[in-house]
Amino acid sequence: MNPRTLVRLEGALVGIGATALYVLQGRSLLLFLALILVPDLSMAGYLHSTRVGAASYNAVHTYLGPGVLAAAGVLAAVDLAFGVALVWTAHIGADRLFGFGLKYADREFGDTHVQQL
């Protein structure tokens, strides 16, 4: 199997897994729907420049942010933080499934790390 397909399958697994965990914990579906596209607000950086857009998009489209938020939520016993981290993780997983990857500062928006695989 080629790497691009593997990245997409990983995205599917992560996105479905995070969503399933969110639902199985009995969390608010309304909150899920309200938050699922929030990470895409980071695309507003492209209004300034490709470099700023890529940096802002990449900052919120890696698993680092939701991983840190989930850990902080668990350690500080802030359940909402863990729930938000699950939604954020589901968003990133769905992006990878559909071929949206991390951006390059010197390339078009659609030219991502997934296309380079």
Side-chain angles (χ1 to χ4, degrees), residues 2-8 92 95-104 107 110-117:
N2 71 45
R4 184 180 302 167
T5 301
L6 289 172
V7 168
R8 286 179 168 215
I92 296 168
D95 271 7
R96 297 298 188 277
L97 169 63
F98 295 116
F100 302 115
L102 300 176
K103 312 301 182 194
Y104 295 97
R107 299 186 191 163
D111 189 6
T112 71
H113 85 284
V114 176
Q115 281 69 44
Q116 299 304 310
L117 297 175

Side-chain angles (χ1 to χ4, degrees), residues 3-105:
R4 184 180 302 167
T5 301
L6 289 172
V7 168
R8 286 179 168 215
L9 290 173
E10 284 177 340
L13 178 67
V14 170
I16 291 168
T19 301
L21 185 56
Y22 186 92
V23 170
L24 290 172
Q25 290 179 343
R27 297 178 181 277
S28 168
L29 292 179
L30 186 59
L31 182 61
F32 185 92
L33 293 174
L35 295 177
I36 193 65
L37 295 178
V38 168
D40 285 338
L41 294 175
S42 64
M43 289 187 285
Y46 279 94
L47 295 171
H48 182 273
S49 69
T50 303
R51 184 167 304 285
V52 170
S56 62
Y57 184 92
N58 291 344
V60 297
H61 282 85
T62 69
Y63 293 114
L64 296 173
V68 169
L69 182 60
V74 169
L75 292 173
V78 179
D79 188 59
L80 180 61
F82 188 76
V84 170
L86 286 173
V87 176
W88 192 358
T89 300
H91 174 94
I92 296 168
D95 271 7
R96 297 298 188 277
L97 169 63
F98 295 116
F100 302 115
L102 300 176
K103 312 301 182 194
Y104 295 97

